Amino acid sequence: MEGTESNGGPASSVVADWSLVFWTLCAVILPVLITLWCSFQRSRRQVLIRDIFRKSKHDWHYTDLFGQPSYCCVCAQHILQGAFCNCCGLRVSEGCLKKADQLFLCKEIMMRSNGGAHSSMPHHWIRGNVPLCSCCMICKQQCGTQPKLCDYRCVWCQYTVHDECMMDCLKTEECTFGEFRDLIIPPYYLSTINQMRKDKRTNYEKVVPYCRKHWMPVIILANTRSGNNMGETLLGEFKILLNPVQVFDLSKTAPAKALHLCTLLPCNAVRVLVCGGDGTVGWVLDAIDEMKIKGQERYIPQVAILPLGTGNDLSNTLGWGAGYAGEVPVEQILRNVMEADGIKLDRWKVQVTNKGYYNLRKPKVFTMNNYFSIGPDALMALNFHAHREKTPSLFSSRIINKAVYFFYGTKDCLVQECKDLNKKVELELDGERIELPNLEGIIVLNIGYWGGGCRLWEGMGDEPYPLARHDDGLLEVVGVHGSFHCAQIQVKLANPVRLGQAHTVRLILKSSKMPMQVDGEPWAQGPCTVTITHKTHALMLYHSGEQTDDDASSMSEQDHVREQTDEDV
């Protein structure tokens, strides 16, 4: 008995050990295999979805969670995640994507030719997921109130209709394109223009749709990399309300290529809405200058701004606000573009000629819309730019960007890297030498705002000064004593050192290397001569609805001067 027990004991312990090893391996390997299988299936599903997106005529985008209660347009089931079309607003579950492509047409940017010219088109109805608080065009009652797939919306005029109010006549009724008919490029217009180009005819003015005199088609140019990264959302919202052919992503299409659409539209009728910062606006205005060089002056558009950048001083000057964070509906933005007034903006040529090298180097040439500066504010911009180049992912918020500017401004208050600037430079205004007081910076202004919302030329507003305008061919030149002085001016506790106004500014940097900037683009510059002369005018749109108290007082003073001038004449 003892021998049997002694022989059976080790064998059973070995079996127990192997059993423990087996189940341990199962406990470890099985979750790994399940995880690998799930990730494989997920990647396979993503490949299939991307393939469907690529082949589809819809502008599909996938979301893990819809922002409002949504129902699949194919199976009518409630869905939390799935795909939506940025152009027509269709929403479907992942499993119904292929069926949706077969059953539903997206917005047509150009009508299919049936051998004749078109001057109208029927409604394009999509069932379900109508906008909140929309009203039926027949009974005027609210639509989309039932918790199911119900009611219809036209993807062009945005009118909505109850299921019970939908009649056969509505399905064939001519679409009026709704509230924004004056901004939309209808598909049949592009079909007609395409045929005219084949026939080598260019009198596009005779093809104005709707027989309307005030048609002002708008082109949307959005920079999805600007400021707070709202460009992607805005692109989708504008595609819903307009013809998708009017909406461009500047990260994929250059402004010069997008503005070619202007040549297919009536002369002096197009308006462009630039969604981005002041740098994006300058990029678009440079492309418009290229149109002038090509002899396309009659197609030059007027430019409005939706501020998505950090500073947005040009946008602020033209009444479009200091920044956009989604607080205004896209519909209201389009109304503002329709109601805006046309004005001119001076654009300036900044030529930087290096000293020495026997003048063999070509001078740097910039185009200035906002301001040129040398000194502490240029140093802050240079440090900010260098930091952003190293870690661009950190600079996705307007608040973070301004916080970094504040940090570098505080640092300069202690270090004072730009002191004794008056000993290093010479300044000439219209050929007249200006004696400089003790300064750390010089700023040459074309617009009213500077430094993210400060009216620099006016200062505290307690001293008489010549009025500053952005269309009078004059530059305002001011000096600052340092970063702390700049901060005082921004909170209206100090005035700048007003050095004068001029048509031409010449600045000579005699020695050392100093930071300079043109419209927020900074660099470190050695001894040189900077010459600023008038280049051209840009056609802009001014929106009077965003005026601040400073704007109102400045405009009233300008109107008063105009009235006095008229009386004298």
Side-chain angles (χ1 to χ4, degrees):
M1 292 290 294
E2 294 176 359
T4 305
E5 289 177 1
S6 61
N7 292 334
S12 61
S13 64
V14 169
V15 171
D17 290 343
W18 278 107
S19 176
L20 178 63
V21 170
F22 173 76
W23 289 112
T24 302
L25 288 175
C26 288
V28 173
I29 294 175
L30 191 60
V32 172
L33 291 176
I34 293 174
T35 303
L36 290 174
W37 183 82
C38 291
S39 63
F40 171 74
Q41 290 296 324
R42 189 184 303 112
S43 61
R44 184 169 173 268
R45 190 174 75 249
Q46 289 174 350
V47 169
L48 291 174
I49 291 174
R50 282 199 298 266
D51 188 57
I52 295 173
F53 285 7
R54 182 174 53 84
K55 295 179 180 178
S56 176
K57 292 184 179 180
H58 289 275
D59 185 15
W60 292 117
H61 287 262
Y62 191 83
T63 180
D64 291 324
L65 182 65
F66 286 107
Q68 66 182 64
S70 300
Y71 300 87
C72 177
C73 291
V74 178
C75 64
Q77 296 298 312
H78 180 261
I79 52 177
L80 294 176
Q81 62 182 28
F84 64 95
C85 178
N86 254 348
C87 296
C88 64
L90 203 66
R91 300 187 182 195
V92 295
S93 63
E94 186 179 312
C96 297
L97 266 172
K98 284 188 177 180
K99 285 186 180 179
D101 267 337
Q102 297 169 359
L103 294 175
F104 301 104
L105 292 174
C106 193
K107 272 186 173 181
E108 288 185 307
I109 63 174
M110 187 166 64
M111 284 189 70
R112 300 168 186 172
S113 177
N114 294 324
H118 298 273
S119 59
S120 63
M121 60 184 290
H123 289 288
H124 181 165
W125 298 106
I126 293 289
R127 187 161 185 255
N129 304 307
V130 298
L132 300 176
C133 302
S134 56
C135 294
C136 176
M137 64 181 292
I138 302 299
C139 67
K140 309 303 179 185
Q141 298 298 314
Q142 187 173 347
C143 289
T145 55
Q146 302 180 51
K148 64 178 183 178
L149 187 74
C150 62
D151 304 337
Y152 291 85
R153 174 182 61 88
C154 175
V155 299
W156 288 106
C157 62
Q158 309 303 321
Y159 290 160
T160 53
V161 182
H162 287 124
D163 287 334
E164 55 271 21
C165 295
M166 175 61 75
M167 299 175 287
D168 291 338
C169 61
L170 285 178
K171 295 181 180 179
T172 57
E173 184 182 69
E174 178 182 335
C175 181
T176 62
F177 291 89
E179 179 184 2
F180 303 114
R181 63 177 67 88
D182 285 339
L183 300 179
I184 296 174
I185 302 176
Y188 58 78
Y189 173 86
L190 293 176
S191 302
T192 306
I193 295 300
N194 190 40
Q195 187 60 44
M196 291 179 68
R197 293 183 71 189
K198 291 179 181 179
D199 299 338
K200 296 183 179 180
R201 292 180 291 155
T202 57
N203 51 338
Y204 303 147
E205 292 83 357
K206 297 181 180 180
V207 200
V208 175
Y210 326 117
C211 299
R212 297 178 67 88
K213 296 180 180 179
H214 304 293
W215 187 45
M216 52 178 80
V218 66
I219 297 175
I220 309 295
L221 305 179
N223 188 350
T224 54
R225 299 173 182 171
S226 286
N228 51 7
N229 297 322
M230 285 200 61
E232 195 74 39
T233 303
L234 289 168
L235 282 172
E237 293 182 2
F238 282 121
K239 284 180 180 179
I240 290 285
L241 296 174
L242 305 171
N243 190 331
V245 79
Q246 300 172 242
V247 185
F248 295 91
D249 182 355
L250 292 182
S251 65
K252 299 177 181 178
T253 306
K257 188 174 181 180
L259 291 172
H260 181 69
L261 182 59
C262 296
T263 62
L264 304 180
L265 298 167
C267 302
N268 304 316
V270 183
R271 297 191 167 197
V272 169
L273 176 62
V274 181
C275 307
D278 289 345
T280 304
V281 177
W283 188 19
V284 173
L285 294 181
D286 287 340
I288 292 175
D289 284 345
E290 292 178 12
M291 293 177 65
K292 296 177 183 177
I293 295 172
K294 295 177 182 177
Q296 299 173 344
E297 290 91 347
R298 58 187 183 141
Y299 299 114
I300 298 298
Q302 294 176 304
V303 180
I305 306 172
L306 183 61
L308 302 183
T310 302
N312 304 312
D313 290 308
L314 180 57
S315 169
N316 220 351
T317 299
L318 299 179
W320 296 100
Y324 178 76
E327 67 278 3
V328 180
V330 171
E331 292 84 353
Q332 185 58 47
I333 294 170
L334 292 176
R335 294 185 195 107
N336 294 342
V337 172
M338 283 195 291
E339 297 167 0
D341 300 318
I343 61 168
K344 288 184 177 181
L345 172 73
D346 291 324
R347 304 193 77 210
W348 300 82
K349 175 184 175 183
V350 180
Q351 181 171 303
V352 182
T353 306
N354 292 305
K355 286 189 176 182
Y357 304 102
Y358 303 100
N359 291 327
L360 295 178
R361 287 189 179 182
K362 288 185 178 180
K364 301 176 189 175
V365 178
F366 304 90
T367 300
M368 183 184 83
N369 302 311
N370 299 2
Y371 37 72
F372 163 87
S373 69
I374 176 174
D377 69 319
L379 179 62
M380 284 187 280
L382 184 62
N383 290 329
F384 174 85
H385 185 74
H387 199 164
R388 184 169 59 178
E389 288 292 316
K390 291 180 181 178
T391 53
S393 59
L394 295 177
F395 296 84
S396 59
S397 166
R398 189 180 292 127
I399 296 176
I400 293 176
N401 294 350
K402 291 189 175 183
V404 174
Y405 264 105
F406 175 77
F407 168 76
Y408 283 119
T410 306
K411 176 185 174 183
D412 186 65
C413 288
L414 303 174
V415 180
Q416 292 184 321
E417 295 182 34
C418 303
K419 64 180 180 180
D420 297 327
L421 179 69
N422 53 299
K423 298 177 182 178
K424 302 173 184 176
V425 302
E426 293 179 4
L427 178 66
E428 294 180 6
L429 302 183
D430 290 336
E432 181 180 346
R433 174 81 177 273
I434 303 298
E435 291 296 328
L436 297 175
N438 186 24
L439 297 174
E440 285 191 28
I442 295 175
I443 304 167
V444 182
L445 299 162
N446 178 47
I447 60 176
Y449 282 92
W450 163 87
C454 168
R455 296 191 71 89
L456 182 60
W457 178 252
E458 285 83 349
M460 296 169 61
D462 59 343
E463 298 177 357
Y465 50 84
L467 292 176
R469 293 179 59 86
H470 47 263
D471 59 356
D472 58 356
L474 282 173
L475 293 166
E476 288 72 44
V477 185
V478 301
V480 292
H481 297 302
S483 296
F484 186 68
H485 186 208
C486 291
Q488 286 180 308
I489 295 172
Q490 287 189 322
V491 295
K492 293 194 173 185
L493 292 178
N495 285 316
V497 180
R498 298 187 186 93
L499 300 174
Q501 293 177 301
H503 298 88
T504 302
V505 175
R506 190 164 179 261
L507 187 144
I508 302 171
L509 178 59
K510 296 182 289 186
S511 62
S512 74
K513 183 176 283 190
M514 294 292 292
M516 294 184 181
Q517 71 155 334
V518 174
D519 291 351
E521 296 298 326
W523 74 97
Q525 178 65 49
C528 67
T529 300
V530 180
T531 306
I532 306 177
T533 54
H534 192 269
K535 179 182 179 181
T536 184
H537 283 106
L539 299 179
M540 308 298 290
L541 289 170
Y542 182 86
H543 175 50
S544 57
E546 293 287 340
Q547 281 190 348
T548 63
D549 294 337
D550 291 339
D551 293 326
S553 61
S554 178
M555 290 299 293
S556 64
E557 289 174 1
Q558 292 177 9
D559 293 339
H560 180 64
V561 169
R562 286 197 200 100
E563 291 174 2
Q564 287 184 336
T565 304
D566 294 339
E567 290 175 2
D568 294 340
V569 173

